[in-house]
Amino acid sequence: MPKTDLAFWSATELLRGYATGTVSPVEATRAALARIEALNGKLNAFCLIDAEGALAAARESEARWAKRSPKGLVDGVPTSIKDLSPTKGWPTMRGSKAVDPKGPWEIDAPFVARLREHGAVFLGKTTTPEFGWKGVTDNALTGITRNPWDPSKTPGGSSGGAAVAAATGMGALHQGSDGGGSIRMPAGYTGVYGIKPTFGKVPAYPLSPFGTVAHIGPLTRTVADSALMLAVMGEPDARDWYALPDDGSDPRRAVTASVKGWRIAYCPVLGNADVHPEIAAMVKTAAQAFVELGATVEEVDPPIPDSHETFRKHWFTGAANLFTAFTAEQKALIDPGLQQIAAEGAAFTLLEYLAAVKEREAMGTAMSLFHETYDVLLTPTLPIPAFEAGHEVPPGSGLTRWTEWTPFSYPFNLTQQPAASIPCGRTSEGLPAGLQIVATKGRDDKVLTASAAYETVRPVELPKV
């Protein structure tokens, strides 16, 4: 898309424009709202749009910029929130008919509060599968969200609406959550950048019912914008008992560093994953780009066992935990697939769950030791291209659950490591493929540095919609 279209300016470009007076927050907000009006009926990225509130906030921001006194780091930047997180004054339906729309809606989640304090202009809430339970984005309440590269295909999930919004100029900054790949998978399928920070880097309240595999992070069109968003979202909040102490680091500094001299591990196939040949070729080429950037790249198998069952015991018991809050009448309204995994989760014994916790601990330790040798690990984000929208698994594949086609993402939720997806090309059908970049726990800066370095040789390409 041409840079003359204000809807596609990055947050960092908008902020420079506000500072110089060449563009205004009202103009940027109107451009984002125009994209939403033009495309949301086709793609279903937003389930709540607050045009009036956004323009009012943009006018307030414009007045602050006119006085050269911006409120914070993202003052006036059009922003969206995923419909899983509390946002004061807006219903948080979580994609579910089981949620009472009357609320009350009186609190902001920690990162929502930080974005608001820093002057973000909230456009609305983006779509999610019910309670974020699966790797595609559709639900009985708000319908099917579609991929802007091919609307017959899924954009992935569960932050599918946020990814579609990022890819199509419906705002600059978009919040997602990731309990098994839910930021990285839609980033991979829509051709944008998404990072799952180290668990606890972004405070959460209330904690996801799926527990300590669930992370919060950004989806954006540039790495620098994700770093900017993390600088705001990661500020402390006393409500999250799990949150990491504020170490004073600034994610924005990482995007200007170099990977020269780094030792990088490249894993084309994790475990028994059957990777589509075109994706495998693109990821291999992407790994080679780091050699040109001055790093050493070695093909290595990381010490990750088949963790599908370990993840199921964490994710499915989380679903069972979620169901304890509902009446029988409410449960009957919920997605049958979510009902099924909740029932499976409830059938696990306490000892089976505790065994899975020990397996998870062993994985985390093994990966910490692995990263004593390697700065980052490169893998495909997803093994297959986007498939038909409205299905949990590719039709005719013989698979039954979304966890069966996402082997590269959920292991790093178990280990709580920072991991990102950055576009690395498109298939012969024109569908995006993603490169996953993983670092040791706590070194989100390395993921951002590697991502920014790769972005210099392959900038994000956007769909022409």
Side-chain angles (χ1 to χ4, degrees):
M1 286 290 175
K3 279 295 182 187
T4 52
D5 189 339
L6 196 57
F8 288 92
W9 284 31
S10 69
T12 53
E13 289 169 331
L14 288 173
L15 291 165
R16 284 196 295 269
Y18 300 163
T20 59
T22 54
V23 297
S24 79
V26 172
E27 290 172 326
T29 300
R30 284 180 175 150
L33 290 170
R35 293 294 289 176
I36 294 170
E37 183 177 1
L39 294 172
N40 201 56
K42 175 183 179 182
L43 300 175
N44 192 30
F46 280 81
C47 56
L48 183 152
I49 304 159
D50 185 1
E52 185 177 333
L55 286 169
R59 285 190 287 270
E60 291 173 4
S61 174
E62 187 171 76
R64 290 191 293 269
W65 280 105
K67 297 174 182 176
R68 299 186 181 276
S69 57
K71 188 176 181 180
L73 295 180
V74 293
D75 198 347
V77 179
T79 301
S80 76
I81 305 298
K82 184 178 177 180
D83 191 34
L84 290 183
S85 296
T87 309
K88 189 175 182 179
W90 287 348
T92 300
M93 298 302 295
R94 298 176 171 86
S96 181
K97 292 183 175 181
V99 174
D100 185 350
K102 293 193 297 290
W105 312 111
E106 297 175 347
I107 67 165
D108 280 335
F111 67 87
V112 177
R114 301 296 86 75
L115 288 164
R116 196 187 298 276
E117 290 162 4
H118 278 264
V121 171
F122 292 146
L123 301 168
K125 306 203 83 169
T126 54
T127 51
T128 173
E130 197 164 11
F131 298 102
W133 81 272
K134 60 184 176 180
V136 295
T137 302
D138 59 74
N139 64 64
L141 182 67
T142 61
I144 298 171
T145 300
R146 299 181 178 277
N147 195 314
W149 293 92
D150 179 348
S152 73
K153 306 296 186 186
T154 180
S158 63
S159 306
V164 172
T168 56
M170 301 184 196
L173 302 177
H174 305 275
Q175 173 265 329
S177 56
D178 189 317
S182 288
I183 287 172
R184 291 159 291 153
M185 293 188 293
Y189 274 170
T190 62
V192 298
Y193 183 71
I195 179 169
K196 172 186 77 71
T198 297
F199 180 80
K201 279 279 189 180
V202 176
Y205 179 84
L207 186 68
S208 167
F210 295 97
T212 59
V213 296
H215 305 221
I216 294 167
L219 286 137
T220 60
R221 292 184 292 275
T222 70
V223 178
D225 276 8
S226 279
L228 170 66
M229 199 173 182
L230 281 175
V232 174
M233 294 169 70
E235 290 185 355
D237 193 295
R239 292 174 291 175
D240 185 357
W241 182 76
Y242 287 97
L244 297 174
D246 182 12
D247 61 5
S249 62
D250 186 341
R252 294 174 295 172
R253 295 195 192 105
V255 301
T256 59
S258 169
V259 297
K260 189 173 182 180
W262 282 23
R263 192 172 178 186
I264 294 176
Y266 156 58
C267 177
V269 179
L270 200 59
N272 310 339
D274 186 9
V275 181
H276 187 284
E278 290 185 55
I279 292 175
M282 285 185 276
V283 172
K284 184 176 182 179
T285 300
Q288 185 61 32
F290 283 92
V291 176
E292 298 164 17
L293 290 164
T296 299
V297 177
E298 302 172 34
E299 187 170 328
V300 179
D301 287 325
I304 295 180
D306 183 350
S307 55
H308 182 251
E309 283 303 305
T310 305
F311 182 71
R312 282 181 74 250
K313 289 184 176 76
H314 282 80
W315 193 254
F316 289 22
T317 55
N321 175 46
L322 169 69
F323 268 50
T324 62
F326 296 118
T327 64
E329 291 77 14
Q330 287 173 313
K331 290 175 185 176
L333 298 172
I334 290 175
D335 187 326
L338 180 50
Q339 292 187 44
Q340 290 165 13
I341 72 163
E344 290 181 48
F348 289 124
T349 68
L350 176 60
L351 289 178
E352 285 175 322
Y353 174 76
L354 291 174
V357 171
K358 295 302 290 183
E359 292 161 5
R360 181 184 184 185
E361 290 171 1
M363 286 177 59
T365 298
M367 286 307 298
S368 292
L369 294 170
F370 176 81
H371 282 289
E372 288 190 333
T373 301
Y374 298 102
D375 292 280
V376 293
L377 166 67
L378 308 177
T379 78
T381 301
L382 290 151
I384 56 175
F387 51 88
E388 287 78 358
H391 298 270
E392 183 186 347
V393 300
S397 65
L399 304 177
T400 56
R401 291 270 85 98
W402 69 271
T403 51
E404 296 170 56
W405 55 265
T406 58
F408 293 101
S409 56
Y410 60 75
F412 303 109
N413 293 84
L414 290 169
T415 61
Q416 301 187 335
Q417 292 172 250
S421 178
I422 192 166
C424 66
R426 287 193 287 144
T427 69
S428 56
E429 293 185 349
L431 296 170
L435 170 72
Q436 180 171 231
I437 303 173
V438 186
T440 197
K441 193 173 177 180
R443 293 306 305 268
D444 304 64
D445 60 318
K446 287 194 172 185
V447 174
L448 289 166
T449 294
S451 300
Y454 182 73
E455 185 183 43
T456 64
V457 297
R458 193 174 189 104
V460 169
E461 182 183 3
L462 299 173
K464 294 176 173 60
V465 292

